[in-house]
Amino acid sequence: MDNTPLIFITNDDSTSAPGLRVLIEIMQRLGDVFVISPQGLQSGQAHAVTVNDPIRHALIKADGRAFNEYSCSGTPVDCVKIGLKVLLKETPDLLVSGINHGSNASINMLYSGTMAAAMEGALEGIPSIGFSLCEYGWNASFEHAKEPIYKIAKKVLENGLPDSTALNVNIPAISNEPLKGIKSCFQAQGRWDEDFDSRIDPRKQPYHWIKGKFVHDGLTEGSDLHALENNYISVVPVQTDFTNYQALELMEGDFDEN
Amino acid sequence: MDNTPLIFITNDDSTSAPGLRVLIEIMQRLGDVFVISPQGLQSGQAHAVTVNDPIRHALIKADGRAFNEYSCSGTPVDCVKIGLKVLLKETPDLLVSGINHGSNASINMLYSGTMAAAMEGALEGIPSIGFSLCEYGWNASFEHAKEPIYKIAKKVLENGLPDSTALNVNIPAISNEPLKGIKSCFQAQGRWDEDFDSRIDPRKQPYHWIKGKFVHDGLTEGSDLHALENNYISVVPVQTDFTNYQALELMEGDFDEN
């Protein structure tokens, strides 16, 4: 039996994203890789699954166990499901998603296809991590991110993660200052303040583009936004149980009827 | 100024879903209604937002402030964003989503467009509730659900909800036994065990339909699945902060580097 770790790689920026290629390159230092990524852009797809249409996949590269790559017509979560349930013959030792072009810190987590893929891996009992770079450009530099990503992935490969928990790792964009380090954090509060760009098409019909700016109520120490603002990589453990236990206690009996 | 509550209504089963009509009928007993629902089926769309395509909406009905209804080309979360940021001139007092045709208990929460719409409402500071009936059929009976939904919505309208918290309400399918009551619960653990239906198209190309069965490791008392199994309506407070604080404490320092 082959003891080389098998690493499952996916993303939401599609097969052609530079961030995916960098992640593959880093993971090849840690084990054999199985890659499956969406054929088209899937930003903002969150935990969407394709239930009303069929899903297709295409082989891109097959090199024994060392390197297998596929593309998939669906969402990032579809990629994880098809990869684990249709294509792979063994359970991977680690699942990584990214490197996303753009931040998934704070509330961006909710909209993120990158992080949804990692959450899906966690649901399947696989130690899973989503990596994101806080820069949108397709030509962003990932050089400064390579060693920290390698270290974090190696640690998770060795020690695992708590049940039903994935890591949301965000990396500051490259700057003149070197990164200060890595910090474990909680998810900062924030929201998107949308300001739709409304236009009229050639048939005189209105349509809207979502745009907006991310707003937050201050950079609380200990939060991912605070860490990133101070040039640290943020690592947030995120869970698939959404229950607000404090609220559950507070509202004890409020809604109950017997 | 009009003191009649304004209630924002959306869903993920589209404008033509019977569950939406029932929810509108119930909410009209509590206030004026603003309805915006997806033009097509959006099951499994989770918290997806449409960022790579324009979004359109169409007016269905306008009756003063009492009843306004739109359809929208996008996802449930798009509906909330377009409704709140483009169409409505005031902040609603309550946001309700559903009634979903099918359960959103346990881990179904993660994939649910119905619940994502409610989470988006919570992010915007609006008391928000997702309602789901544990029966998929388009001709399901909602009769037994009407009074409990009215009561829960009325209570939330009067008392509000904790910050960044929505309610995930699931209602057992109608049976010979009357409902036993309402229970506040936590989200049960579970996952989907997929068993893709793989086919070959007329051009000899393979394609896959997602199917599978929901599995769980037992009905823990206090969980939503346990309540539903015992013919209670389950009410789970769900939050937009995904941090696993216990894991954060456990891994203190594990990843930190200065």
Side-chain angles (χ1 to χ4, degrees), chain A residues 13-40:
Chain A
D13 287 325
S14 87
T15 306
S16 55
L20 178 69
R21 296 299 136 195
V22 175
L23 193 56
I24 294 170
E25 173 199 321
I26 302 167
M27 292 305 135
Q28 284 188 293
R29 293 167 58 194
L30 287 165
D32 293 339
V33 298
F34 174 90
V35 186
I36 179 165
S37 61
Q39 284 157 12

Side-chain angles (χ1 to χ4, degrees), chain A residues 4-165:
Chain A
T4 310
L6 181 64
I7 303 173
F8 188 112
I9 306 177
T10 189
N11 78 345
D12 76 352
D13 287 325
S14 87
T15 306
S16 55
L20 178 69
R21 296 299 136 195
V22 175
L23 193 56
I24 294 170
E25 173 199 321
I26 302 167
M27 292 305 135
Q28 284 188 293
R29 293 167 58 194
L30 287 165
D32 293 339
V33 298
F34 174 90
V35 186
I36 179 165
S37 61
Q39 284 157 12
L41 289 175
Q42 296 283 330
S43 303
Q45 277 301 296
H47 215 100
V49 282
T50 304
V51 292
N52 295 317
D53 288 295
I55 305 170
R56 294 171 185 272
H57 58 75
L59 180 67
I60 295 176
K61 180 173 175 172
D63 180 10
R65 185 181 186 266
F67 197 130
N68 285 282
E69 181 170 358
Y70 292 84
S71 67
C72 171
S73 62
T75 66
V77 170
D78 291 337
C79 287
V80 174
K81 287 182 184 290
I82 288 276
L84 293 178
K85 307 292 173 70
V86 176
L87 299 170
L88 261 182
K89 304 294 172 229
E90 58 181 310
T91 304
D93 301 286
L94 179 70
L95 182 152
V96 293
S97 177
I99 305 169
N100 192 59
H101 291 251
S103 167
N104 280 317
S106 181
I107 213 66
N108 293 299
M109 163 81 209
L110 268 81
Y111 305 95
S112 166
T114 302
M115 281 311 302
M119 294 281 264
E120 186 67 21
L123 275 179
E124 291 291 331
I126 302 161
S128 300
I129 318 170
F131 293 103
S132 305
L133 182 75
C134 298
E135 189 173 342
Y136 284 96
W138 218 240
N139 59 353
S141 170
F142 290 94
E143 271 314 311
H144 64 306
K146 288 182 180 174
E147 276 314 298
I149 288 175
Y150 172 80
K151 278 186 193 171
I152 292 168
K154 188 164 183 287
K155 205 163 279 181
V156 170
L157 203 46
E158 287 165 0
N159 304 335
L161 285 173
D163 278 354
S164 306
T165 300

Side-chain angles (χ1 to χ4, degrees), chain B residues 51-115:
Chain B
V51 293
N52 294 317
D53 288 294
I55 305 170
R56 294 170 185 272
H57 57 75
L59 180 68
I60 295 175
K61 179 172 174 171
D63 180 10
R65 185 182 186 265
F67 196 132
N68 285 282
E69 180 169 1
Y70 292 85
S71 67
C72 171
S73 63
T75 66
V77 170
D78 291 337
C79 287
V80 174
K81 288 182 183 289
I82 287 276
L84 292 179
K85 306 292 173 71
V86 175
L87 298 170
L88 261 183
K89 304 294 170 228
E90 59 181 309
T91 304
D93 301 286
L94 179 70
L95 182 151
V96 292
S97 177
I99 305 170
N100 191 60
H101 291 252
S103 168
N104 279 318
S106 182
I107 214 64
N108 293 299
M109 163 80 209
L110 268 81
Y111 305 96
S112 165
T114 302
M115 280 312 302

Side-chain angles (χ1 to χ4, degrees), chain B residues 142-160:
Chain B
F142 290 94
E143 270 314 312
H144 64 307
K146 288 181 180 175
E147 276 314 299
I149 288 176
Y150 172 80
K151 280 185 192 171
I152 292 167
K154 188 163 184 288
K155 206 163 276 181
V156 170
L157 202 47
E158 286 165 3
N159 304 335

Side-chain angles (χ1 to χ4, degrees), chain B residues 23-235:
Chain B
L23 193 56
I24 294 170
E25 173 198 321
I26 302 168
M27 292 306 135
Q28 284 188 293
R29 294 168 57 195
L30 287 165
D32 293 339
V33 299
F34 174 91
V35 186
I36 180 166
S37 61
Q39 284 158 13
L41 289 175
Q42 295 282 330
S43 303
Q45 277 302 295
H47 216 100
V49 282
T50 304
V51 293
N52 294 317
D53 288 294
I55 305 170
R56 294 170 185 272
H57 57 75
L59 180 68
I60 295 175
K61 179 172 174 171
D63 180 10
R65 185 182 186 265
F67 196 132
N68 285 282
E69 180 169 1
Y70 292 85
S71 67
C72 171
S73 63
T75 66
V77 170
D78 291 337
C79 287
V80 174
K81 288 182 183 289
I82 287 276
L84 292 179
K85 306 292 173 71
V86 175
L87 298 170
L88 261 183
K89 304 294 170 228
E90 59 181 309
T91 304
D93 301 286
L94 179 70
L95 182 151
V96 292
S97 177
I99 305 170
N100 191 60
H101 291 252
S103 168
N104 279 318
S106 182
I107 214 64
N108 293 299
M109 163 80 209
L110 268 81
Y111 305 96
S112 165
T114 302
M115 280 312 302
M119 294 281 264
E120 186 67 21
L123 276 177
E124 291 292 331
I126 302 161
S128 300
I129 318 170
F131 293 103
S132 306
L133 181 74
C134 299
E135 188 173 341
Y136 284 96
W138 219 239
N139 59 353
S141 170
F142 290 94
E143 270 314 312
H144 64 307
K146 288 181 180 175
E147 276 314 299
I149 288 176
Y150 172 80
K151 280 185 192 171
I152 292 167
K154 188 163 184 288
K155 206 163 276 181
V156 170
L157 202 47
E158 286 165 3
N159 304 335
L161 285 173
D163 278 355
S164 306
T165 300
L167 294 186
N168 182 13
V169 177
N170 283 271
I171 300 143
I174 204 164
S175 72
N176 294 331
E177 300 293 318
L179 290 176
K180 285 216 191 96
I182 304 174
K183 261 196 203 306
S184 306
C185 305
F186 58 83
Q187 175 187 308
Q189 286 191 24
R191 60 184 191 85
W192 279 89
D193 192 14
E194 276 89 13
D195 168 28
F196 282 86
D197 185 337
S198 300
R199 304 179 181 191
I200 303 293
D201 74 16
R203 295 178 300 114
K204 314 275 188 230
Q205 298 302 309
Y207 66 98
H208 312 275
W209 291 104
I210 281 188
K211 69 186 182 94
K213 60 175 193 294
F214 177 71
V215 290
H216 58 80
D217 303 329
L219 298 169
T220 319
E221 196 161 343
S223 73
D224 51 2
L225 289 183
H226 186 269
L228 292 163
E229 187 68 22
N230 287 284
N231 212 22
Y232 282 89
I233 291 174
S234 65
V235 178

